[in-house]
């Protein structure tokens, strides 16, 4: 561009995003952001038009998690930005980077009821790490740079930039705009060696040590370092749901099957990129020992000593901290023949046997375990598993293996339903561009699928070969079969009689593929399920496999009542 040429605000936005390394924009266009979408494509930023801003926001944050650099979500003023709040909150709670770019109403009409006028910055502030609005067109790049940088520096999270419609169409001389350069990748800090030595001494003194690996370790790309450290220490490893795969689920070190026991009995826990929130039962009794000593490894100082006081707080980047820890630890190795290892292996075998029983019960309609068992063994390691739902997600997590990091995306810390299709769309694009041949398997409860079901059209439009498996029990938590349901609602006011957890029995979700000129299948028998998943993974096309299971099927009986409390 000639320095004397004029450039519109919306072009400043996309040029700036390009400079800042933003490769994808997910959004829904309308006034005043249509031009941003068009201009983005003109300069080679991939634009993905979604059907709801919420799903677009989920997609953008999945790119942030998978790549360590934010993608953008683009939304129109007022309702568009407000639809993104659930997405922003989900990104914030999961510590995933993304930026939201929201159009807003004309500044000159503020306060007199402009089209879609709303205090957008105030509305999104608590759901973001940073939000800003440039004061004039030439300051757009500065704000965007701050948003991109803030989203990935320190604890990652979402940022918002508000762009009034009049500013987007204003022109300035190209030479008057300073395009802030790409910020370098986040600095990787190390804790002091003194603290690292304390951690090592504590681990050495442990009789029942445990290493918990969270999604912060996956995000921090620390798999090589953690695989080396855990192998050498020979300490049992418990991954959190999205921490799965940092250490392969197939590794002998992973004792997920003895989760309750290790949490209850561990005396020293090295907590790597995971928070002691509800997912880890706050690190407190009765789920944890009251005398447990915790070594926390996290990038975020404010996270230290949360819920319980940690014995050692290692504030630093997981990748470099783990590498340093491995050097400092010398040749200490926890004994394979320790009573702890012997007990844990025994517990894993016992728990494995009770799951096996449920898997083998092939009475149709199937229970969850038997349904998963038809395809869990045949999924290639390279497959990205996206999952949401209640039982579908919880049981699926134990039945579907992850041997590679960042290959599981689910409802996460915030327990958000509706993330699945947005995550799957972003993951399929990521795989297409960075990991060719890897497939996306999106395992959805029927209720969870409903939240963003119309994104099927997006999947078809962009030709993304996502295999959607719906584990259909006709309800939230559980439902009813056709006969029982019609009995329940007959001769009554249906809004009084239909249980709040029920959905219509036997919905043929697979037919949504017909709607976009593709095909889906429904199945309920073991062999049908096996064949359907095998065939779907063999061809490079999107499909829906609607697996009708027993509407009354539930979870395996849990040792403790509180294990299921949050689930119903
Ligand atoms: P999980 O849900 O798997 O338990 P959480 O989301 O609760 O994981 O915790 C992830 C933690 O990882 C957060 O506290 C976050 O600050 C931290 N984190 C993220 N990236 C890094 C990194 N590169 N180095 C260290 N800690 C990180
Ligand atoms: Mg259901």
């Amino acid at each position: 561009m000639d320095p004397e040429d004029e450039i519109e605000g919306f072009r400043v936005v996309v040029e700036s995003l390009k400079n800042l390394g933003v490769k994808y924009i997910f959004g829904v266009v309308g006034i005043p952001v249509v031009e941003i979408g068009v201009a983005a494509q003109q300069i080679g930023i991939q634009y993905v038009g979604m059907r709801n801003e919420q799903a677009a926001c989920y997609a953008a944050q999945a790119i942030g998690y998978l790549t360590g650099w934010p993608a953008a979500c683009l939304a129109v003023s007022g309702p568009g930005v407000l639809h993104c709040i659930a997405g922003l909150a989900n990104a914030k709670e999961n510590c995933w980077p993304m930026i939201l770019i929201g159009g807003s109403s004309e500044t000159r009409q503020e306060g007199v009821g402009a089209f879609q006028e709303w205090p957008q910055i105030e509305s999104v502030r608590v759901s973001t790490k940073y939000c800003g609005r440039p004061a004039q067109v030439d300051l757009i790049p500065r704000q965007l740079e701050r948003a991109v940088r803030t989203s990935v520096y320190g604890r990652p999270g979402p940022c918002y930039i508000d762009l009034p419609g009049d500013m987007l169409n204003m022109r300035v001389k190209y030479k008057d705009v300073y395009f802030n350069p790409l910020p370098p990748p986040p600095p990787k800090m190390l804790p002091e060696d003194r603290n690292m030595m304390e951690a090592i001494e504590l681990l050495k003194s442990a009789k029942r040590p445990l290493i918990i690996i969270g999604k912060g370790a996956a995000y921090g790309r620390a798999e090589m370092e953690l695989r080396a450290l855990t192998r050498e220490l020979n300490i049992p490893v418990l991954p959190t749901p999205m921490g799965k795969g940092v250490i392969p689920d197939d590794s002998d070190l992973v004792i997920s099957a003895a989760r309750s026991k290790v949490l209850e009995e561990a005396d020293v826990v090295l907590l790597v990129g995971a928070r002691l929130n509800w997912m880890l039962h706050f690190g407190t009794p009765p789920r944890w020992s009251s005398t447990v000593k915790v070594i926390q490894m996290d990038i975020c100082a404010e996270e230290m000593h949360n819920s319980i006081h940690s014995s050692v707080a290692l504030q630093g980047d997981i990748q470099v901290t783990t590498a340093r820890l491995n050097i400092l630890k010398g040749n200490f190795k926890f004994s394979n023949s320790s009573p702890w290892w012997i007990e844990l292996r025994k517990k894993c075998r016992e728990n494995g046997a009770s799951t096996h029983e449920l898997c083998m019960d092939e009475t149709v309609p199937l229970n969850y375990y038997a349904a998963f068992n038809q395809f869990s063994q045949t999924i290639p390691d390279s497959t990205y598993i996206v999952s949401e739902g209640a039982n579908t997600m919880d049981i699926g997590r134990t039945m579907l293996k992850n041997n590679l990091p960042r290959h599981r995306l689910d409802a996460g810390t915030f327990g958000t339903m509706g993330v699945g299709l947005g995550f799957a769309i972003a993951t399929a694009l990521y795989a297409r561009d960075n990991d060719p041949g890897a497939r996306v398997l999106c395992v959805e409860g029927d209720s969870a699928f409903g939240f963003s079901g119309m994104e099927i059209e997006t999947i078809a439009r962009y030709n993304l070969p996502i295999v959607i498996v719906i584990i259909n029990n006709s309800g939230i938590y559980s439902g009813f079969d056709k006969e029982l349901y019609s009995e329940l609602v007959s001769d009554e006011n249906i809004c009084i009689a239909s249980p709040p957890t029920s959905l219509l029995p036997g919905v043929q979700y697979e037919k949504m593929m017909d709607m976009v000129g593709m095909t889906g299948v429904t199945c309920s028998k073991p062999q049908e399920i096996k064949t359907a998943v095998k065939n779907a993974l063999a061809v490079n096309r999107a499909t829906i496999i609607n697996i009708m299971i027993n509407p009354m099927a539930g979870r395996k009986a849990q040792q403790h009542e509180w294990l299921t409390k949050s689930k119903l």
Side-chain angles (χ1 to χ4, degrees), residues 254-258 343-353:
V254 173
I255 41 72
S256 299
E343 282 169 37
L344 290 179
R345 293 211 182 91
K346 179 161 166 271
K347 187 73 189 169
C348 282
R349 275 195 305 277
E350 284 167 11
N351 287 354

Side-chain angles (χ1 to χ4, degrees), residues 95 155 214-216 219-220 240 273-275 277 279 298-300 303 316-318 413:
C95 315
R155 170 183 273 174
K215 65 176 164 317
Y219 178 82
T240 66
R275 286 168 287 180
N277 55 19
M279 294 182 78
D298 203 291
I299 204 163
C300 176
E303 189 56 42
D317 171 75
I318 293 173
T413 310

